Amino acid sequence: MAAVPEEQAGPESGPKHREKHKNKNKKKAAPVDESELLTVPDGWKEPAFTREDNPRGLLEESSFATLFPKYREAYLKECWPLVQKALGEHYVNAALDLIEGSMTVTTTKKTFDPYAIIRARDLIKLLARSVPFEQAVRILQDDVACDIIKIGSLVRKRETFIKRRARLLGPKGSTLKALELLTNCYIMVQGNTVSALGPFSGLKEVRKVVLDTMKNIHPIYNIKTLMIKRELAKDPELRTQSWERFLPKFKRKNLKKRKEPKKKNTKKEYTPFPPPQPESQIDKELASGEYFLKERQKKRKQMEEIKAKQADAVKRRQEERNKAFIPPKEKPAVKTKKASTEKKIDIEAIKEKVKNAKKKKLGALPEEEVKLKMAADEKKKKKKK
């Protein structure tokens, strides 16, 4: 059929008629909420990458190598067969060189997933940073990522670095455990690095907490914020709203007092007049009259001043020497007070007391028995004569 020209065609076949049709289609389309397009529905997972997605495989061979410390050698030697088995499922070769102290991963002709070599590289990095194989092998999953945070160069002093790193761990590892539960990540603090393994959202929070801790912000503040965020995420109405009004705002307080300088510069009172000009050496000589003296006289005066200073110094030295020969000051003798004779002694009263005391002695015989005993002794003496 021949095409109908625009002039002969009816009024409905013109460009205006097309625009009307477009406007009608726009009115029919239902309005779509942008927030729904941005949010991922619950329980949704990205489909796994299979051989059907890349049937021809890779064009070139890729490889990555990383060094490991000497103390990891024994552990890696034990778990290396498991590493090879896990990577073999993704058609990636793994080699362990104990002489050089390195681990190498390479792709093969059968490798179909181009991102498998990146995951294998992350696996050997985590193994080198003391992460156990049971946790490190999770990196091969699609929804798991890793982050190795370097903290060695963030603090200058070694002592403060050790204190802040210990703060990140907490007493008996309680702070680290709380952080793991809130972020759904596995965290390993080893030497100058912090290795984290988990979902992308959790890794972002872990990095923020670790860097803040090394900047002298205690991790408990970030943990409180994470706990509030987790409770807010449960409410579907608050997902599209801002959470700033619910989150706590911590003000930084510097408790250390500023060190006061030894020399305090006190400001003088302001005066509009400039300070007086200091006197020069010539002005001082003119005032004292030395300017008009001759050179001989000046030299003589200088010598006299030197001799006077020397004489003073000799006198001071002599006084210091003579101090050793000066006797110390003696304390004045204290006069003993004589016993007061005001009270008169009653001798007869004392005699009576002594007699009474003799009578009261234990085992003492009465007076009559004493007289009888003395008479018996005299009779015995007479008989012997």
Side-chain angles (χ1 to χ4, degrees), residues 14-54:
K16 290 180 180 178
H17 180 68
R18 287 172 199 161
E19 283 177 11
K20 284 177 183 178
H21 272 289
K22 283 181 184 177
N23 292 333
K24 282 178 184 178
N25 292 334
K26 282 181 183 177
K27 286 176 183 178
K28 286 177 184 178
V32 181
D33 191 9
E34 289 182 2
S35 62
E36 287 181 6
L37 296 170
L38 294 169
T39 54
V40 178
D42 294 331
W44 182 86
K45 279 189 178 181
E46 193 177 349
F49 193 87
T50 58
R51 187 174 281 280
E52 292 171 5
D53 298 319
N54 187 17

Side-chain angles (χ1 to χ4, degrees), residues 184-227:
N184 295 322
C185 293
Y186 174 80
I187 305 163
M188 182 71 186
V189 181
Q190 177 68 25
N192 294 334
T193 57
V194 177
S195 306
L197 186 77
F200 292 99
S201 58
L203 292 174
K204 192 179 176 183
E205 296 293 342
V206 169
R207 177 170 273 275
K208 184 182 178 295
V209 172
V210 170
L211 294 175
D212 283 353
T213 305
M214 300 315 288
K215 287 175 185 174
N216 203 19
I217 298 166
H218 204 280
I220 196 70
Y221 300 122
N222 286 310
I223 286 167
K224 275 187 179 180
T225 309
L226 287 170
M227 286 171 77

